[in-house]
Amino acid sequence: MSESLSNVVYLCIAATAFVMALWKALALLRDATPTLALTVSMQLGGALIYVIASPVGYRTLGEITGRPSFATLPVYVGILVCFAMGHLITLLWDPLLRQKPSGLRHSVIRWSGWYAGGAGLMIVFFALADLSGPADPLRFNTAFADDPMVLLFLAVFLATLTSGTLNTWRQCRTMRLDDPQIQHALRAFAFAMLCVFGYVVCSAPAIALAAVGNHSLDTVGVLGSTCGCIGTVILYYGLSGAAFDAWRRERRDYKALQPLWDLAVARVDQDLALSGGSVHDGRPTMNVSFRLHRRVIEILDGMRALRPWVSAAPMEAVRHLHEHPSRPDWAPLKEQDVPAAATAAALCDAVRRLHAERQEQGGRYTRPGPSGEPPVPLPGDDTPAAQERDRLLRVSGALSHPLVAEALKRTQNTGSATASHQGHGKQRSRDGRDNGRTRPRTRGLQCDEPW
């Protein structure tokens, strides 16, 4: 890898690491945990290391200190520190170690001592080495391998790095977590360790030959830095890839819940929104998890506010149409989606009833008191809180299904015919007066109809 290409690659990795560190820092402010703190520190440290390790950064630091090869020390020690933090993160992730706090504490102390001891020896050997002369940022390992102190410095570095990467790889391979996304991240983490170990595989023979004056493998040693770059990119994906995938899913789900929010909140009572900005949140970028949770709560509040107007008729119509479809071109509903479609139809019908009552009251709206009759239950009322998000996503998706629209049409036609029959009966009463109140006939309801 040439110096110009190295500058581009190293600085791009540094910029990526810095951005990811800032993103993780926002999560750390909301939820301060040891693993998040280690992740942020690791990514910030990695960004600084790649800036210094780039040829332009390496030479600049050499000019500032007056020692052309001085940048090697903070880079190599920084690499050990970053991999130590990565190793500690995997220890903290391990569910078996978390079950035994004393064992976890001893493992953290033991490995921290191992990495600290290696870094201390490296500093001593580097200080005793004779590093006079020009420096090649990409060939330090082979250029100074004939110096005994540099050889010891590199031996400690490679031995500590080997132990850290292989043990972290083993730790990741043997760990079993319940969350499939984090398990996927662990596999990426393990693969990254093997790629970084490729740096040792390339560097060790090149250094060994250079120590006896043979520089035929110097280029292979330079190739090791490429393995390190690849491993670092995969490592950062392992640290943040699962979180990014979760952020993307939450952002998608937030958007998918918009039709149901419009129905159960915006068209029922704007005061149900926990924040005035809820109406304008199209597809948020920041605090997506918080806003998604807020949206779920608002929708559930809206569904509770609609309970007095919920009828069983549209739900029965959905089930009947599912068993006896009137249109062969309808996309068939899966059995587990029928309750969601029934809920969607019931909510649409309840909103229609609510708006009809508002029209009767001249647009005024007061929350109803107890009616004396038990509310009609909706499918999924007993859904655990952790599964409400998935349930509401299915309901929101069912709002646009033609089966729901047909069920609403049939329900409204039946209700209108009943109201008309009752109205004629009241006109034929003996005193000629209307002794009851009937709801006005309204247009056929579509779930996306603005009221």
Side-chain angles (χ1 to χ4, degrees):
M1 188 184 296
S2 66
E3 287 197 11
S4 299
L5 181 58
S6 296
N7 280 325
V8 174
V9 172
Y10 282 27
L11 293 178
C12 285
I13 293 176
T16 302
F18 183 72
V19 171
M20 292 172 67
L22 291 181
W23 181 41
K24 284 290 188 180
L26 294 175
L28 179 63
L29 292 175
R30 296 191 301 269
D31 182 22
T33 62
T35 52
L36 270 178
L38 286 171
T39 300
V40 172
S41 301
M42 183 180 179
Q43 291 173 336
L44 285 176
L48 180 61
I49 288 169
Y50 269 95
V51 169
I52 298 175
S54 65
V56 61
Y58 193 98
R59 296 188 188 282
T60 300
L61 186 59
E63 293 174 1
I64 293 173
T65 60
R67 299 183 62 183
S69 300
F70 176 79
T72 301
L73 179 62
V75 169
Y76 283 23
V77 171
I79 289 173
L80 283 191
V81 171
C82 285
F83 277 92
M85 289 188 285
H87 194 172
L88 295 181
I89 288 172
T90 61
L91 293 176
L92 295 174
W93 278 345
D94 194 330
L96 296 179
L97 284 176
R98 288 203 305 269
Q99 293 175 3
K100 301 177 180 179
S102 59
L104 175 61
R105 183 169 58 255
H106 291 156
S107 295
V108 169
I109 293 174
R110 182 175 68 253
W111 281 109
S112 298
W114 169 257
Y115 287 110
L121 288 175
M122 288 172 60
I123 292 173
V124 171
F125 292 143
F126 192 86
L128 297 175
D130 179 13
L131 299 175
S132 57
D136 186 336
L138 301 179
R139 296 177 182 268
F140 173 89
N141 291 355
T142 53
F144 292 97
D146 55 346
D147 185 286
M149 292 296 105
V150 172
L151 195 59
L152 288 173
F153 168 84
L154 294 173
V156 172
F157 172 65
L158 293 179
T160 309
L161 188 62
T162 297
S163 176
T165 53
L166 293 183
N167 277 282
T168 304
W169 171 79
R170 181 186 60 82
Q171 185 82 17
C172 293
R173 294 295 299 174
T174 58
M175 218 184 301
R176 293 294 178 267
L177 302 177
D178 295 333
D179 191 325
Q181 291 296 324
I182 300 181
Q183 189 67 45
H184 175 71
L186 274 178
R187 288 195 293 270
F189 214 85
F191 184 59
M193 292 300 113
L194 291 182
C195 289
V196 174
F197 180 65
Y199 171 84
V200 179
V201 173
C202 293
S203 298
I207 292 171
L209 286 181
V212 296
N214 186 341
H215 291 272
S216 59
L217 293 182
D218 285 11
T219 303
V220 176
V222 175
L223 181 63
S225 63
T226 303
C227 295
C229 291
I230 295 173
T232 300
V233 172
I234 299 174
L235 180 65
Y236 285 159
Y237 169 76
L239 285 171
S240 300
F244 178 76
D245 289 343
W247 172 86
R248 189 173 56 182
R249 287 196 311 274
E250 288 174 344
R251 194 164 177 260
R252 178 199 62 201
D253 291 352
Y254 184 93
K255 184 67 175 178
L257 287 173
Q258 185 69 45
L260 184 56
W261 189 92
D262 289 339
L263 176 71
V265 179
R267 295 174 181 175
V268 174
D269 185 357
Q270 292 277 347
D271 291 338
L272 291 169
L274 300 178
S275 169
S278 296
V279 181
H280 307 291
D281 282 349
R283 189 171 290 181
T285 302
M286 307 299 294
N287 297 330
V288 179
S289 182
F290 169 77
R291 296 186 183 188
L292 177 60
H293 292 161
R294 184 183 67 188
R295 173 146 290 189
V296 169
I297 293 171
E298 291 171 351
I299 291 172
L300 291 174
D301 287 344
M303 291 169 64
R304 279 190 289 271
L306 283 170
R307 279 310 176 89
W309 292 276
V310 171
S311 168
M315 293 186 280
E316 294 170 357
V318 166
R319 296 187 182 99
H320 176 77
L321 287 171
H322 173 66
E323 296 172 0
H324 309 284
S326 60
R327 292 279 300 277
D329 58 335
W330 282 349
L333 279 174
K334 297 180 180 178
E335 198 63 38
Q336 61 267 29
D337 291 332
V338 175
T343 302
L347 293 176
C348 288
D349 182 68
V351 172
R352 178 187 64 80
R353 291 168 176 264
L354 167 64
H355 281 268
E357 185 164 319
R358 285 180 179 172
Q359 290 176 8
E360 287 183 355
Q361 298 177 2
R364 296 188 304 275
Y365 170 65
T366 56
R367 293 184 182 276
S371 62
E373 298 181 1
V376 177
L378 288 171
D381 275 348
D382 57 348
T383 301
Q387 300 174 17
E388 284 286 14
R389 171 179 162 188
D390 292 336
R391 172 203 173 200
L392 296 182
L393 283 169
R394 289 194 296 270
V395 173
S396 187
L399 289 173
S400 59
H401 198 282
L403 185 148
V404 173
E406 180 64 21
L408 289 169
K409 182 179 178 181
R410 293 191 177 189
T411 301
Q412 185 176 351
N413 289 340
T414 301
S416 299
T418 301
S420 177
H421 175 74
Q422 291 175 349
H424 287 304
K426 289 168 186 172
Q427 289 174 1
R428 290 193 298 267
S429 62
R430 286 180 300 175
D431 57 2
R433 290 179 299 172
D434 186 358
N435 296 321
R437 186 180 68 179
T438 59
R439 300 183 186 278
R441 298 182 62 180
T442 56
R443 297 181 291 122
L445 174 70
Q446 298 294 329
C447 285
D448 57 353
E449 176 184 345
W451 293 296

